[in-house]
Amino acid sequence: MSDALPRPKKRLGQHFLTDPRLLARIADALGATSADTVLEIGPGRGALTTHLLARAGKVIAIELDRELAPMLAEKLKGEPRFQMVEGDVLDQDLGALAGGPYLLAGNVPYNITTPILFHAMQRPRPTRAVYLVQKEVAERVVAPPGSAAYGALSVNVQVLADAELLFSVSAGAFTPPPKVESAVLRIVPRLEAMLRPEEEAPFRLLVQGSFGLRRKQMRRVLRTVRAWDAERADVALSAAGIDPEARPETLSPADFLRLLRVSQ
C-alpha cells in the first residue's frame, strides 16, 4: 500500500479489492454500456471505478470516507463522465441522484450490508445491481424456502427481484483481508414486481415479524403478529392456502404475499 493512501478504516468496514481480473468480472457482471449511468457505492481508492468508467456512460460514486472522497475526485478530475458525492449512501435518494434509469454497483461494507440492500430496493429501483458482499449474506439473499439460510432477507428481496450468487471471492484478494469469505451478488428487480407499491411496507413488517418467530407455527405467528385469536388466524391462513401448522421458513414469497392480502 502506498504511503500516500490513508490506512483502511476498521470503523467503516474497509477492505479494498485490487485484483484487476476480479474487478473486471464484477464490472462485466453489471453489464453497463455507454448508454448507462452507474451509481457506485463506496468506491474507496477507485479500483472498480476505473473498470466501470471503461464500460458506462457515466459513473456517480458515493463515498463516506472524507479522506478518500477528495483523493478520488482529484484523481479523476479530468474525467467529465465521473461525479463524486461525499456522504452516506443511506442518506441519498438514489433515483434522484441518477436523474433517470441507473445501474448500481459496489463493494458494500459488511456491517451495513442489509440496510444498503433494502435502501437500494426502494423505488425507483436500479435496473440491475451487482454487489460484493459477505458470502453468508449473498447465500441468505438467494436461499430457497426451507433451507437453513432462508429468512426475512431472502423473502424481501425475492418478492421484488431475481437474485444470483455469481462467484466467490477469497479473503486473500482484499487489503486488508477480512475474516470472512465474500461473494458477488447480482440483483435484477422485476419490472412487474409481485408487490404493489402500497404493499411494500406492510409486507416487510409481516415478513420480519414472522421470522422473528421462525420456529413457531403460522397459527401462533399470526396470533402474535396480528393479535388475533386462533379462529381468525386459521381463517386467514386457509384463505391464503397455508397450513396453520407450517413454519415461516417453509413459506415462499408468494405465500407471504397471499397472506398479506387476506389479513389486511
Side-chain angles (χ1 to χ4, degrees), residues 139-151 154-155 158 249-253:
E139 290 172 340
R140 286 167 51 202
V141 169
V142 304
S147 64
Y150 187 71
S154 319
V155 175
Q158 292 174 25
E249 59 203 25
T250 67
L251 271 59
S252 69

Side-chain angles (χ1 to χ4, degrees), residues 61-134:
I62 307 165
E63 177 57 63
L64 180 60
D65 190 317
R66 293 183 178 180
E67 288 185 283
L68 287 177
M71 291 179 69
L72 185 56
E74 176 65 22
K75 177 182 176 182
L76 294 173
K77 67 179 180 180
E79 174 52 79
R81 297 178 300 114
F82 177 75
Q83 177 184 344
M84 170 59 71
V85 175
E86 184 179 325
D88 189 334
V89 65
L90 297 177
D91 294 333
Q92 307 298 321
D93 181 330
L94 300 181
L97 187 60
Y102 67 100
L103 307 181
L104 187 62
N107 180 358
V108 179
Y110 296 157
N111 54 343
I112 56 167
T113 298
T114 298
I116 288 176
L117 292 179
F118 279 132
H119 184 62
M121 293 302 287
Q122 295 178 10
R123 296 170 186 265
R125 291 185 265 273
T127 303
R128 199 161 46 253
V130 172
Y131 305 100
L132 180 57
V133 298
Q134 184 176 345

Side-chain angles (χ1 to χ4, degrees), residues 31-261:
T33 72
S34 59
D36 293 314
T37 294
V38 176
L39 300 190
E40 183 186 4
I41 300 171
R45 299 169 179 173
L48 179 59
T49 312
T50 302
H51 288 269
L52 294 173
L53 280 167
R55 294 159 172 79
K58 183 176 183 179
V59 175
I60 302 172
I62 307 165
E63 177 57 63
L64 180 60
D65 190 317
R66 293 183 178 180
E67 288 185 283
L68 287 177
M71 291 179 69
L72 185 56
E74 176 65 22
K75 177 182 176 182
L76 294 173
K77 67 179 180 180
E79 174 52 79
R81 297 178 300 114
F82 177 75
Q83 177 184 344
M84 170 59 71
V85 175
E86 184 179 325
D88 189 334
V89 65
L90 297 177
D91 294 333
Q92 307 298 321
D93 181 330
L94 300 181
L97 187 60
Y102 67 100
L103 307 181
L104 187 62
N107 180 358
V108 179
Y110 296 157
N111 54 343
I112 56 167
T113 298
T114 298
I116 288 176
L117 292 179
F118 279 132
H119 184 62
M121 293 302 287
Q122 295 178 10
R123 296 170 186 265
R125 291 185 265 273
T127 303
R128 199 161 46 253
V130 172
Y131 305 100
L132 180 57
V133 298
Q134 184 176 345
K135 187 175 183 180
E136 179 184 348
V137 174
E139 290 172 340
R140 286 167 51 202
V141 169
V142 304
S147 64
Y150 187 71
L153 179 60
S154 319
V155 175
N156 280 311
V157 172
Q158 292 174 25
V159 77
L160 296 172
D162 297 315
E164 302 172 82
L165 193 164
L166 299 180
F167 56 90
S168 299
V169 180
S170 68
F174 295 86
T175 301
K179 296 180 180 179
V180 296
E181 296 297 293
S182 302
V184 174
L185 175 69
R186 181 164 58 201
I187 296 177
V188 182
R190 289 187 288 272
L191 292 177
E192 297 297 328
M194 297 166 67
L195 281 177
R196 295 188 288 265
E198 67 274 12
E199 292 175 326
E200 291 180 16
F203 181 86
R204 185 178 298 180
L205 289 174
L206 173 63
V207 170
Q208 292 179 184
S210 297
F211 278 96
L213 302 164
R214 64 180 299 144
R215 300 304 178 193
K216 302 295 185 181
Q217 296 179 352
M218 286 305 300
R219 177 188 290 116
R220 171 56 64 185
V221 169
L222 278 189
R223 292 185 66 183
T224 302
V225 173
R226 294 287 197 231
W228 288 350
D229 59 30
E231 182 179 359
R232 187 175 182 186
D234 282 353
V235 168
L237 289 164
S238 176
I242 297 170
D243 182 348
E245 296 183 358
R247 301 182 193 280
E249 59 203 25
T250 67
L251 271 59
S252 69
D255 291 331
F256 278 106
L257 181 54
R258 291 197 307 275
L259 182 58
L260 173 73
R261 289 175 174 168

